Amino acid sequence: MELRHLRYFIAVAEELHFTRAAERLHIGQPPLSHAIQMLEADVGAQLFERSKRWVRLTEAGKLFLQDARHILALSEQASETARRAQRGETGELRIGFTFSTPFTPLFAAVINGYRQQYPDVTLTLREMATNKQLEALSQHSLDVGFIRPPEGGELARGVSSPLRFKTLREDPLVVVLPTTHALAKKKKVPMQDLAQLPFIMYPPSAGTGIYPHILRLCHAAGFAPRVTQEANDASTIIGLVAAGCGISILPGSFYTIHFDGICYRPVADAGATTSLLLAQRKDEVSPLVAAFVGLAAELA
């Protein structure tokens, strides 16, 4: 049974006249009659009663007509779904983001903009550290990711990597200090002023891109940070600073977290910035990813 045979059947059922149905279908009457006979043989039931003057649907034909119309509608729906998927208008897009990403206005703008333009695409959002996102992208369990520069400058530039990176914005690194701390009086804080202070940082196992960057800044200033407390969550780190457990360095996007007893001061040293990157696979062909990356680049 072919879809065209169903179309032929529906035309005859609606016209109840083989000649008019053949004209409607732009085919000859003999091929149409033959196609209906083949359809009845495939179905195993007589669909039409025929005489020289009239054509009528049998009871089997009346029931078959309902299903035939439904089958053709499903066929068209399936085709349209495939076409929309090809245009990137439907499907699922799996998006990773670091802990600091939601605090950047750009993230909300991209997500909201994409939802408005492609309302039928399901967005699955996953909070993951940078290194975890890179693994997930390589394993095809993530489609695109908002990350901070990973450890190793060559990877961040996309050299010898299966991934492609696009810089969306630059954020200053800021020192998180108790408001009562002497350094809080400065507009900017040099890294060397932090040499003797206790640090609160993400644990190395968290896989964040900012951890190795902070270490490099400390070493460039001539010291190794004295890490006395670790926490996996930025809000916890900020709360520990407020509790007097030490100081920390975070992306400037965390300015939006207002916490009694703490303040943020930009790091004065050169290179004390962190990029927000959008990562995807180099061999990615999904139109959903292409549309998302294009929108992010447009809004960046």
Side-chain angles (χ1 to χ4, degrees):
M1 187 185 304
E2 300 179 18
L3 290 179
R4 65 186 179 93
H5 290 161
L6 296 182
R7 295 189 182 95
Y8 292 173
F9 166 75
I10 292 171
V12 176
E14 291 176 350
E15 298 292 342
L16 293 178
H17 196 284
F18 274 83
T19 300
R20 289 196 299 267
E23 291 174 351
R24 169 175 158 182
L25 295 166
H26 304 290
I27 62 173
Q29 183 177 334
L32 176 59
S33 297
H34 181 65
I36 296 299
Q37 291 173 0
M38 291 179 59
L39 179 62
E40 289 178 321
D42 287 340
V43 172
Q46 184 179 350
L47 303 176
F48 293 103
E49 295 178 354
R50 306 166 178 83
S51 76
K52 293 183 178 180
R53 293 187 176 182
W54 47 261
V55 176
R56 297 173 184 166
L57 283 166
T58 64
E59 287 303 313
K62 291 177 182 177
L63 294 174
F64 188 75
L65 178 60
Q66 298 176 18
D67 289 338
R69 285 171 170 160
H70 184 56
I71 290 170
L72 286 182
L74 287 177
S75 172
E76 179 54 35
Q77 178 182 328
S79 298
E80 178 59 19
T81 298
R83 289 191 291 267
R84 294 186 65 202
Q86 180 66 29
R87 297 193 298 264
E89 297 175 1
T90 186
E92 180 188 15
L93 187 63
R94 299 162 300 177
I95 303 169
F97 61 94
T98 63
F99 314 113
S100 64
T101 303
F103 295 98
T104 63
L106 176 62
F107 178 74
V110 174
I111 298 299
N112 287 328
Y114 191 84
R115 287 190 187 277
Q116 291 173 7
Q117 292 187 30
Y118 305 97
D120 294 327
V121 175
T122 299
L123 297 185
T124 302
L125 303 175
R126 301 174 182 172
E127 184 184 71
M128 303 170 69
T130 288
N131 289 348
K132 297 295 184 182
Q133 288 192 55
L134 299 180
E135 293 176 9
L137 283 165
S138 297
Q139 296 169 2
H140 290 253
S141 59
L142 202 65
D143 299 310
V144 65
F146 291 87
I147 67 169
R148 294 294 179 181
E151 187 171 5
E154 66 281 359
L155 181 57
R157 292 192 296 270
V159 178
S160 301
S161 168
L163 305 179
R164 177 183 296 119
F165 304 87
K166 181 173 183 58
T167 301
L168 298 178
R169 58 174 286 156
E170 294 284 339
D171 289 315
L173 290 179
V174 296
V175 183
V176 189
L177 296 161
T179 52
T180 56
H181 199 283
L183 293 178
K185 298 178 181 179
K186 294 190 174 185
K187 291 183 177 181
K188 292 186 176 183
V189 178
M191 286 295 300
Q192 62 183 12
D193 287 0
L194 308 177
Q196 303 302 320
L197 300 180
F199 274 69
I200 306 168
M201 294 179 64
Y202 293 110
S205 59
T208 62
I210 194 173
Y211 181 89
H213 189 31
I214 293 173
L215 292 183
R216 287 193 293 271
L217 288 171
C218 291
H219 292 156
F223 70 98
R226 182 164 59 91
V227 180
T228 58
Q229 186 75 45
E230 294 179 342
N232 287 297
D233 183 76
S235 59
T236 301
I237 290 175
I238 295 171
L240 290 172
V241 172
C245 298
I247 61 94
S248 189
I249 297 177
L250 293 172
S253 53
F254 286 113
Y255 271 129
T256 55
I257 295 183
H258 300 287
F259 215 109
D260 289 343
I262 64 100
C263 63
Y264 303 93
R265 296 293 181 265
V267 177
D269 300 50
T273 62
T274 180
S275 303
L276 179 63
L277 309 175
L278 196 61
Q280 66 174 113
R281 288 179 291 275
K282 286 181 178 177
D283 60 355
E284 183 60 72
V285 296
S286 167
L288 279 74
V289 173
F292 188 87
V293 172
L295 178 63
E298 179 182 331
L299 295 177

